[in-house]
Amino acid sequence: MNIKIAYFSGTGCTEFVAETVANEFKARGHRVLFCNIRNINDNNEDFDLLIICFVVHACNAPEPVMEWVRNLEKVNNKPTVVISVSGGGEVTPNLACRVPLKKALKKKNYQLIYEKMLVMPSNWIVETKQKLCLKLLEILPYKVSFIVNDILIGNKNFTFPLPGNRILTMLGSLERIGAHSFGKNIKVEKTCNGCGKCVKQCPVSNITLKDNKPAFDKKCILCLNCIYSCPKKALTPTIMKFVVIKNGFSLKELLEKPFSNDEIDLDNEAKGIAWIGVKRYLSNTSDILEPMHKKRSNTGF
């Protein structure tokens, strides 16, 4: 089967999820077409199944994802899977985050067959404790393997958010206005050396170099990638400072840390109302399955 995985990522967590999904399908003998939604020059190869992975932004799919779907050509009931990624999990106000995207896909005659939320370490407002981060990364392939197996054997998974959650999703779109203002008002410190890394890292091309210094437009989606990836720590928010994690965020650094086989105390590591969804996600062992590539490596294949 030819599977097209289209993803949109900020600090790299959703890209890592999409890669994990791709690797599991490949391990099961399927061909994967990998598509970064930020790239305008998308391939037009035919595919049997479309999978869209997106990071939750403002209780919705990011605007570039919605625009990408709106620009798709109409199809004839093409099977589609939607995977959302967040640091909080399947909780209010994220419960209806896939609804607008599903409606847009339906207008293009894409047939939703499966939807799911996956959890990755939080990169804004509240920092995820390191033990919790590593446990989320450790369990991800097992959660993905379950999803891939479910899809291949024809199981369905749908959610039906209540009206209140749908309203929250609609109100959440107002956050995009704040995001645009946030990006426009990022201060460039004197330590900036004009390396241009922020320009390359921005997933919506909101940053350009002017006089060897970054200049910001009004397309920011609050992914914070420019701030976290700046080697000189030269970008400082002047408004909504609370969204930036004090110690920064680096998925690469987390992935370099060894996993521990020890059980973690979720009551301690995921304490508080902000972590209810993460705690539920990690506690649920009914939706995990050993990854196929892990089975093959264990049997010598």
Side-chain angles (χ1 to χ4, degrees):
M1 184 162 60
N2 287 339
I3 299 163
K4 182 171 185 175
I5 299 179
Y7 71 91
F8 181 85
S9 190
T11 53
C13 288
T14 304
E15 181 177 12
F16 185 72
V17 167
E19 289 173 347
T20 305
V21 174
N23 289 337
E24 187 61 26
F25 272 111
K26 289 177 182 177
R28 294 168 184 259
H30 300 278
R31 182 170 178 264
V32 174
L33 310 172
F34 212 52
C35 167
N36 186 341
I37 285 176
R38 67 180 289 189
N39 294 334
I40 298 175
N41 297 321
D42 185 18
N43 63 67
N44 293 316
E45 293 185 62
D46 193 24
F47 54 91
D48 305 303
L49 172 68
L50 173 64
I51 299 177
I52 300 179
C53 299
F54 70 88
V55 57
V56 178
H57 168 56
C59 311
N60 288 272
E63 184 55 30
V65 178
M66 298 299 297
E67 183 179 359
W68 186 82
V69 170
R70 286 193 290 263
N71 289 332
L72 290 174
E73 293 184 1
K74 282 194 173 184
V75 294
N76 185 19
N77 292 325
K78 183 79 72 174
T80 308
V81 173
V82 174
I83 297 176
S84 51
V85 180
S86 80
E90 201 82 78
V91 292
T92 301
N94 291 337
L95 291 174
C97 67
R98 296 180 294 272
V99 171
L101 180 62
K102 290 190 293 184
K103 289 181 178 179
L105 285 165
K106 187 176 182 180
K107 289 181 180 179
K108 297 293 183 174
N109 295 332
Y110 282 85
Q111 180 187 6
L112 183 73
I113 62 170
Y114 203 94
E115 60 177 307
K116 194 75 170 180
M117 173 79 79
L118 290 172
V119 181
M120 289 288 281
S122 171
N123 65 354
W124 77 312
I125 300 182
V126 183
E127 183 176 9
T128 308
K129 293 182 179 180
Q130 183 170 299
K131 286 185 179 180
L132 208 56
C133 286
L134 296 180
K135 187 57 66 174
L136 288 171
L137 295 174
E138 181 184 6
I139 204 172
L140 177 65
Y142 294 85
K143 295 279 188 178
V144 166
S145 180
F146 180 90
I147 292 171
V148 170
N149 189 69
D150 242 12
I151 293 168
L152 292 177
I153 65 177
N155 287 342
K156 310 293 183 182
N157 189 66
F158 305 114
T159 59
F160 303 95
L162 296 174
N165 288 303
R166 293 171 183 260
I167 292 172
L168 284 175
T169 292
M170 289 187 288
L171 293 175
S173 61
L174 297 175
E175 184 183 313
R176 293 171 178 166
I177 300 173
H180 297 167
S181 182
F182 174 91
K184 188 66 177 176
N185 288 282
I186 291 176
K187 180 182 178 182
V188 182
E189 305 289 352
K190 294 180 180 180
T191 52
C192 174
N193 62 2
C195 71
K197 186 174 183 179
C198 56
V199 176
K200 297 176 183 177
Q201 295 285 356
C202 181
V204 291
S205 302
N206 188 55
I207 311 172
T208 56
L209 283 183
K210 293 183 179 180
D211 299 324
N212 213 34
K213 297 290 182 182
F216 300 85
D217 203 348
K218 296 181 179 180
K219 297 181 291 185
C220 179
I221 61 165
L222 211 61
C223 76
L224 307 179
N225 202 20
C226 59
I227 292 174
Y228 292 145
S229 64
C230 178
K232 296 295 184 180
K233 307 299 180 186
L235 301 179
T236 305
T238 59
I239 61 172
M240 298 170 62
K241 298 179 181 181
F242 65 93
V243 303
V244 179
I245 294 175
K246 181 180 179 180
N247 296 320
F249 179 85
S250 172
L251 178 62
K252 181 181 178 181
E253 291 180 5
L254 287 173
L255 291 172
E256 290 173 349
K257 298 183 182 298
F259 293 150
S260 171
N261 293 324
D262 298 335
E263 292 294 325
I264 66 170
D265 182 359
L266 286 178
D267 289 332
N268 181 55
E269 299 296 326
K271 184 186 298 183
I273 192 171
W275 303 103
I276 290 177
V278 178
K279 185 177 179 180
R280 186 186 303 142
Y281 176 84
L282 289 174
S283 299
N284 184 12
T285 57
S286 65
D287 64 348
I288 61 174
L289 185 69
E290 187 175 11
M292 184 62 70
H293 69 271
K294 185 179 178 69
K295 287 183 180 180
R296 289 184 175 179
S297 62
N298 287 343
T299 55
F301 294 125

